[in-house]
Every structure is written in C-alpha cells, then in structure tokens.
Amino acid sequence: MIDETAQALDSADARMIVDALWSSWPMVATLSPADLGMDDSAERLIDFIKAFQDLGDAGLIIFEAFVVGPAGPRVIDAALTARGRALLGARMNPQPAVVTQLAS
C-alpha cells in the first residue's frame, strides 16, 4: 500500500510549498515558482507543477485555479486543507494563528 501523504511530502519542493502555505494560514496564497525561490528552467517549472499536483492528490492542499501561461505556472488561492493542517501540525513550528469567534 502506498502512503500518498508521505509520498507527496518526499520532495523539497513540496515541503517549500507546505511551508509557504502554513505561514500564510488562514489566508490563501497565490504562488509561482519565483515565490518559492525556484529558477525558471523548464525542469524546475515541471517540478513546481508536479509538487502541487502530488499535494492536491494527497488531500493536503486545495487551490482555486492552476494557470500555466507565458509567465509560467501560477497557483491561485492555495491553502492547506484541514487534513493537511492536522497531518502537518506536529512537524510545523510555529503553529498557525487560531481564528476564534469573539462574539456570537
């Protein structure tokens, strides 16, 4: 049996994406390879796309749109899922801010 979650986090690129989304939580983020410090070679652009696809397939992230155009790939309004935050919570430090309701 293949553990999709562990496999999705195998690459350094996936860990960079998760770190970026963890630090922006609870806000969504629009990310491009340049935002993660990746160069714009064809191989690295493919790595960026593959990392997002693997994380999405494992249920760790969601995103509104994935755009590939002349400026390269971009992921629009990406965020960690509740499952992703729960699974990654033990390894991430500091914990993201917890949104609480102050009045009912």
Side-chain angles (χ1 to χ4, degrees), residues 5-29:
T5 303
Q7 194 173 24
L9 290 170
D10 278 347
S11 75
D13 296 332
R15 288 189 296 275
M16 282 192 305
I17 291 167
V18 167
D19 290 343
L21 295 177
W22 186 270
S23 66
S24 71
W25 177 257
M27 302 300 294
V28 295

Side-chain angles (χ1 to χ4, degrees), residues 17-92:
I17 291 167
V18 167
D19 290 343
L21 295 177
W22 186 270
S23 66
S24 71
W25 177 257
M27 302 300 294
V28 295
T30 295
L31 297 174
S32 68
D35 296 328
L36 300 173
M38 299 172 78
D39 64 44
D40 62 353
S41 69
E43 182 177 306
R44 293 302 286 148
L45 297 179
I46 291 169
D47 291 342
F48 175 82
I49 293 167
K50 182 173 178 359
F52 265 98
Q53 182 178 4
D54 290 346
L55 290 167
D57 289 349
L60 300 177
I61 65 168
I62 56 169
F63 46 88
E64 184 69 27
F66 199 103
V67 179
V68 179
R74 229 174 2 140
V75 179
I76 308 209
D77 291 348
L80 292 168
T81 62
R83 179 176 187 257
R85 290 188 313 277
L87 291 171
L88 297 167
R91 90 166 189 66
M92 303 301 284

